[in-house]
Amino acid sequence: MLYHLLYALHTRFSVFNVFRYITFRTIYAGLTAFLICIVLGPMMIRFLSEKQIGQYVRQLGPKSHREKAGTPTMGGLLIMAAIFVSTLLWADLTNFYIWIVLFIGAGFFAIGFYDDYLMQIKKRSCGLSAKGKILLQVLVAFMGGVMLYIYPDFSSKITIPLLKTFSPDLGYSYVLFAVLVIVGTSNAVNLTDGLDGLAIGPVIIAAATYMMFAYVTGHVKIADYLQIHYVAGCGELTILCGAVAGAGLGFLWFNAYPAQIFMGDVGSLPLGALLGAVAVITKQEILMIVVGGVFVVEAVSVILQVGYFKVSGGRRIFKMAPIHHHFELKGWAEPKVIVRFWIVAIMLALLSLSTLKLR
Ligand code: 57M
């Protein structure tokens, strides 16, 4: 909104010319989202505590988690409010991709909110059924995928990392591919959110990475130089990614070990969906496997554990899945697990950025 209000004044006051630059608006979108979380964080924690919206901790988990019971949760309300307000303030609101990503984020926010509402407020121990949650996620992602597919400027080709000339056109099946990326990323982030700061750290790192991907993919000259897909208009997603990273840093201020607040499904589901949607639009969908490598490993550890448990008649590969619990039960202190996962996430992000040159 500020872009529309203030850039128009640049003919009279040249200083407002700065609002045309995506880099400037990205920095301030990040700072705005960060400040919203920092300023409102303590009030949010007090509000959730007063409403007794505290985490129910299942007895199955590591014993060290028992003392976490009652920690205020649904902090995702604050994260998503910061992202939406900051994006609406600093992005070009005539940009189609901004609205598509916000639509998908809002849809997953609603699903996560309803799940948390049932679990934390109505005190139903399991919330939405797994099938119901997945179906709603697929529906929202499908609607987003169809809108992308029918948008005249958007191509249904996908990028294969490291391959410069091979980018297959998926046609109609592009919609299903987009659903897979968005729903998969959303649930992988959700599974990862099992230790203090464990999910929000890699979310910040992935958002910062896709901030760079969105910028170069939306810049005709840089895209041509790097020989990557040019997606006209997707540069505005740089600002949204800046808001996600800023909100994530603001939330991490309170979610850092020992956490004063958890994000809840109302945070993990939409954050993953936002990252998935940006990955799809910037044509770096498959690279999400690398950028979001921590999320992928967490999800795969669960799939392997549950699958092996079934075929082996009750035996386990890991001490407990997702894999962060395995390291906890091996004796790693929680902060050590968290920071080491962040280090891996940073290394994977750097590796993914290197593919822009390795083509
Ligand atoms: C999402 N939720 C955390 C918090 C957060 C199929 C199975 C793998 C499903 C999985 C599951 O239930 N996943 C749900 C993970 C939970 O965090 C809440 O959920 C929100 C995210 N959706 O925002 O509100 C617990 O995580 C801890 N936590 C922190 N700090 C944070 O900043 O310490 C979360 C955020 C919180 C808190 O203790 O209560 C979670 O872990 O449930 N199930 C599991 O992950 C369980 N694994 C398991 O059962 N493994 C089995 C089989 C099924 C694979 C096995 O290995 O044999 C573990 N989780 C729990 N208990 N709670 C272990 C058992």
Side-chain angles (χ1 to χ4, degrees), residues 51-54 117-125:
K51 296 291 179 191
Q52 295 181 339
I53 303 175
Y117 170 77
L118 291 178
M119 265 199 292
Q120 310 297 346
I121 297 170
K122 302 301 275 184
K123 304 298 179 194
R124 282 198 209 162
S125 60

Side-chain angles (χ1 to χ4, degrees), residues 7-27:
Y7 178 55
L9 298 174
H10 78 280
T11 48
R12 293 183 57 193
F13 307 101
S14 60
V15 67
F16 290 127
N17 190 49
V18 75
F19 280 88
R20 67 185 286 209
Y21 295 110
I22 284 176
T23 45
F24 173 82
R25 289 186 285 131
T26 297
I27 290 168

Side-chain angles (χ1 to χ4, degrees), residues 55-62 64-66 68-69 71-76 115-116 119-120 133 187 189-200 251 255-257 259 261-269 298 301-303 305-306 309 316 318-322 324-325 328 334 338:
Q55 184 65 49
Y56 164 73
V57 176
R58 274 170 289 171
Q59 295 314 306
L60 277 173
S64 57
H65 284 238
R66 305 263 162 87
K68 293 171 180 273
T71 304
T73 186
M74 293 184 75
D115 191 35
D116 283 339
M119 265 199 292
Q120 310 297 346
K133 208 162 27 171
N187 285 285
V189 172
N190 182 44
L191 283 172
T192 306
D193 193 29
L195 296 181
D196 298 352
L198 185 66
I200 201 66
F251 179 73
N255 183 237
Y257 181 86
I261 187 171
F262 297 155
M263 67 172 76
D265 286 26
V266 71
S268 58
L269 292 180
E298 289 267 337
S301 71
V302 170
I303 294 165
Q305 179 88 327
V306 173
F309 189 86
R316 286 180 164 82
F318 307 100
K319 290 178 182 296
M320 184 174 283
H324 56 260
H325 289 313
E328 274 195 300
E334 182 173 348
I338 297 158

